[in-house]
Amino acid sequence: QVQLVQSGAEVKKPGASVKVSCQASGYTFTSYGISWVRQAPGQGLEWMGWISPYNGNTNYAQKFQDRVTMTTETSTSTAYMELRSLTSDDAAVYFCAREAFVGATNWFDPWGQGTLVTVSS
Amino acid sequence: DIQMTQSPSSLSASVGDRVTITCRASQSISTFLNWYQQKPGKAPKLLIYSASSLQSGVPSRFSGSGSGTDFTLTISSLQPEDFATYFCQQAYSSSSVTFGPGTKVDI
């Protein structure tokens, strides 16, 4: 079955970087985009950006443009999201999600299980 | 960015009730609207895409409708496993995806 498995929880100090991985299985990795979405404790969902595993094209949300890098490794069907210059506001669960495009529309399905990132001195 | 709002922010209902959740976009998004269900400690799960298309494997008690700026998610007969938070998401602007703030359904 289609599955996204993310790396484990991380604890980082303010100013550090975090890199979260998302390994896909059960489908052709290069045929679908991967988006990253985060959720602060008790809060809603915030889209961070998208990457195409087919050609490496990216589209970052303006809020994260200067601090995020999304990459993929097609040999292992793995997507990565690196966020730099962490502050306490970046403490959240980070999800990857497969993005399906059909015609002019798109949706996220399935999602990874989430990776908790804690930022603490 | 397109802003998404949802109402109510939370509701309490009983098993068997018909539940309706509303999502509104700050501008017309045609039918580029998706709905997700999220249970505590879990990842969101796609329920409805393109405003009214039921995702494979999702029970038929879930339905979606609407176009333009106003959308609804309806659960025709609430079940105990439907306790969750529901989010709408606009897919009109793929370069700037936004979600609604969520509606928490308590049984």
Side-chain angles (χ1 to χ4, degrees), chain B residues 7-56:
Chain B
S7 61
S9 57
S10 66
L11 66 92
S12 293
S14 300
V15 172
D17 284 354
R18 182 181 182 88
V19 170
T20 298
I21 298 169
T22 297
C23 176
R24 178 164 288 174
S26 61
Q27 68 180 70
S28 177
I29 58 171
S30 184
T31 57
F32 296 155
L33 190 284
N34 306 317
W35 288 97
Y36 301 87
Q37 175 194 65
Q38 186 180 33
K39 295 183 178 181
K42 300 294 187 182
K45 172 188 172 183
L46 177 69
L47 297 176
I48 302 284
Y49 62 93
S50 298
S52 60
S53 296
L54 191 67
Q55 172 67 350
S56 176

Side-chain angles (χ1 to χ4, degrees), chain A residues 29-45:
Chain A
F29 184 58
T30 51
S31 294
Y32 295 82
I34 294 285
S35 270
W36 291 87
V37 177
R38 76 178 187 179
Q39 186 171 38
Q43 301 301 308
L45 301 167

Side-chain angles (χ1 to χ4, degrees), chain A residues 35 37 39 43-47 50 59-62 95 99 101 104-114, chain B residues 31-34 36 38 41-46 49-50 55 87 89 91-92 94-101:
Chain A
S35 270
V37 177
Q39 186 171 38
Q43 301 301 308
L45 301 167
E46 183 175 33
W47 180 77
W50 166 89
N59 177 28
Y60 301 144
Q62 191 168 9
F95 295 101
E99 187 161 351
F101 286 89
T105 192
N106 59 291
W107 53 84
F108 303 130
D109 179 66
W111 296 55
Q113 83 277 18
Chain B
T31 57
F32 296 155
L33 190 284
N34 306 317
Y36 301 87
Q38 186 180 33
K42 300 294 187 182
K45 172 188 172 183
L46 177 69
Y49 62 93
S50 298
Q55 172 67 350
F87 295 94
Q89 173 240 325
Y92 182 82
S94 60
S95 63
S96 182
V97 173
T98 48
F99 293 86

Side-chain angles (χ1 to χ4, degrees), chain A residues 18-33:
Chain A
V18 68
K19 191 170 186 177
V20 180
S21 69
C22 168
Q23 185 167 36
S25 61
Y27 72 98
T28 302
F29 184 58
T30 51
S31 294
Y32 295 82

Side-chain angles (χ1 to χ4, degrees), chain B residues 67-90:
Chain B
S67 66
T69 59
D70 295 321
F71 302 87
T72 58
L73 173 70
T74 300
I75 309 172
S76 61
S77 179
L78 199 65
Q79 299 302 301
E81 61 266 31
D82 299 336
F83 162 73
T85 299
Y86 295 84
F87 295 94
C88 59
Q89 173 240 325
Q90 63 83 12

